[in-house]
């Protein structure tokens, strides 16, 4: 009899505890998240206010109604982030936002609604607004990109990869308003690449080959520009004495 009574008491205790915990969790999830309940990790560049301002969610908002996937997408886009994860937490209560920032490797300029916007470009060819970059990453930038557009990301990424893999010293990349690509290499000067992004890897190989060849006889000092719009028939213009 005592054993049965003890089992009943324990069962009753566990039931009460379960109901209490369930009620507590329900209350917590219905509690509203405000700015001070947002905890950011991974970067010191962004504040709680940055999270709120760059989201379509209306804070304060009940924790259960926070669309974490939507918030992640908006923050990644609006703050030029490489990645971001958002998690609801009950203990401690609030939102945990972990940020992976993009690292700039070039200065950038884009035209948006006829307005010139200055910023930076990362290795994936992504444009980063000035306010979303940590200044300590800007000391060694030597490349400038003009005329950036979303559709040029892949071409830029290929150029940056070539700079790493070859001995190229490209210092300027320019897209005209109609998409004509021109690069400037430290030794080979101005190089016209044209409108065909599918040729970029082939063109970069030719640039590297030309640089290696010209280094042997210092011919690069005589070059004015190189036309690689047809990479099978390079045209080299030299300075006239």
């Amino acid at each position: 009899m005592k054993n049965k009574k003890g089992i009943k008491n324990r069962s009753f205790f566990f039931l009460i505890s379960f109901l209490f915990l369930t009620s507590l969790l329900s209350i917590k999830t219905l509690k509203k998240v405000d700015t001070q309940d947002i905890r950011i990790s991974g970067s010191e560049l962004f504040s709680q206010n940055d999270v709120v301002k760059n989201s379509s969610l209306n804070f304060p908002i009940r924790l259960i109604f926070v669309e974490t996937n939507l918030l992640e997408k908006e923050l990644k886009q609006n703050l030029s982030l490489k990645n971001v994860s958002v998690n609801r937490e009950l203990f401690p209560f609030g939102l945990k936002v972990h940020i992976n920032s993009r690292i700039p490797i070039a200065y950038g300029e884009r035209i948006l609604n006829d307005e010139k916007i200055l910023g930076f470009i990362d290795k994936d060819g992504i444009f980063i607004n000035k306010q979303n970059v940590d200044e300590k990453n800007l000391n060694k930038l030597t490349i400038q990109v003009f005329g950036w557009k979303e559709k040029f990301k892949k071409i830029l990424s290929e150029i940056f990869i070539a700079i790493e893999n070859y001995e190229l010293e490209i210092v300027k990349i320019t897209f005209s308003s109609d998409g004509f690509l021109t690069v400037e290499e430290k030794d080979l000067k101005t190089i016209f690449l044209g409108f065909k992004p599918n040729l970029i890897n082939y063109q970069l190989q030719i640039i590297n080959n030309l640089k290696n060849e010209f280094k042997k006889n210092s011919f690069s000092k005589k070059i004015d520009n190189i036309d690689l719009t047809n990479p099978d028939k390079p045209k080299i213009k030299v300075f006239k004495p």
Side-chain angles (χ1 to χ4, degrees):
M1 291 295 291
K2 288 184 179 180
N3 288 338
K4 289 183 179 181
K5 186 176 181 180
I7 292 172
K8 286 183 178 180
N9 288 337
R10 284 195 297 272
S11 298
F12 180 73
F13 173 76
F14 286 129
L15 177 60
I16 294 297
S17 299
F18 175 75
L19 292 175
F20 174 78
L21 182 59
T22 302
S23 299
L24 180 61
L25 293 177
S26 298
I27 293 171
K28 281 278 191 179
T29 56
L30 291 174
K31 184 179 176 182
K32 288 187 176 181
V33 177
D34 210 339
T35 306
Q36 68 270 16
D37 300 314
I38 299 172
R39 294 181 300 283
I40 299 173
S41 61
S43 174
E44 297 179 357
L45 184 63
F46 303 101
S47 68
Q48 296 163 316
N49 286 328
D50 289 324
V51 172
V52 174
K53 289 178 182 178
N54 288 278
S55 166
S56 62
L57 300 178
N58 294 316
F59 288 87
I61 181 174
R62 298 191 190 281
L63 181 65
I64 196 172
F65 294 144
V66 175
E67 298 178 63
T68 55
N69 289 338
L70 172 63
L71 185 53
E72 288 171 351
K73 183 178 179 181
E74 290 179 332
L75 293 179
K76 185 175 181 179
Q77 176 68 32
N78 297 335
L79 297 178
S80 310
L81 301 175
K82 189 172 184 64
N83 199 17
V84 58
S85 62
V86 178
N87 293 293
R88 303 187 198 93
E89 292 190 342
L90 297 177
F91 303 101
F93 175 81
L95 290 177
K96 183 178 180 181
V97 180
H98 185 77
I99 288 173
N100 288 332
S101 302
R102 294 188 178 276
I103 299 175
I105 65 170
Y107 295 100
E109 178 187 294
R110 67 184 297 194
I111 305 297
L112 186 63
N113 299 325
D114 295 324
E115 180 184 355
K116 185 184 295 185
I117 299 174
L118 301 179
F120 302 91
I121 313 290
D122 83 336
K123 67 177 183 178
D124 297 319
I126 303 294
F127 188 89
I128 314 169
N129 291 322
K130 284 195 302 184
Q131 66 270 24
N132 298 330
V133 168
D134 192 335
E135 292 185 2
K136 68 183 180 183
N137 292 319
L138 307 181
N139 298 330
K140 299 181 180 179
L141 302 188
T142 59
I143 307 171
Q144 294 177 301
V145 178
F146 296 93
W148 182 93
K149 290 182 181 179
E150 189 83 17
K151 63 182 179 180
F152 300 143
K153 291 185 301 185
K154 188 175 185 303
I155 301 175
L156 286 169
S157 178
E158 297 291 349
I159 294 174
F160 295 145
I161 290 172
I163 292 173
E164 286 185 3
N165 294 338
Y166 299 146
E167 294 184 10
L168 300 179
E169 295 180 77
I170 293 176
V171 295
K172 188 175 178 181
I173 303 168
T174 304
F175 296 94
S176 67
S177 58
D178 57 358
F180 188 95
L181 173 60
T182 304
V183 301
E184 185 175 323
E185 208 276 338
K186 186 177 179 181
D187 295 319
L188 301 180
K189 314 299 188 300
T190 302
I191 305 170
F192 303 112
L193 299 179
F195 294 105
K196 299 178 179 178
N198 58 307
L199 295 178
I200 188 64
N201 283 317
Y202 183 33
Q203 290 169 320
L204 290 166
Q205 289 175 14
I206 292 175
I207 294 172
N208 185 60
N209 293 339
L210 288 174
K211 178 159 183 172
N212 290 334
E213 186 64 30
F214 293 160
K215 269 199 317 188
K216 298 174 184 177
N217 51 27
S218 300
F219 182 76
S220 60
K221 294 179 180 179
K222 303 176 183 179
I223 295 175
D224 182 16
N225 62 65
I226 300 174
D227 187 343
L228 288 180
T229 51
N230 181 353
D232 290 324
K233 296 180 179 180
K235 297 177 183 177
I236 301 173
K237 182 179 178 181
V238 297
F239 288 108
K240 293 181 179 180

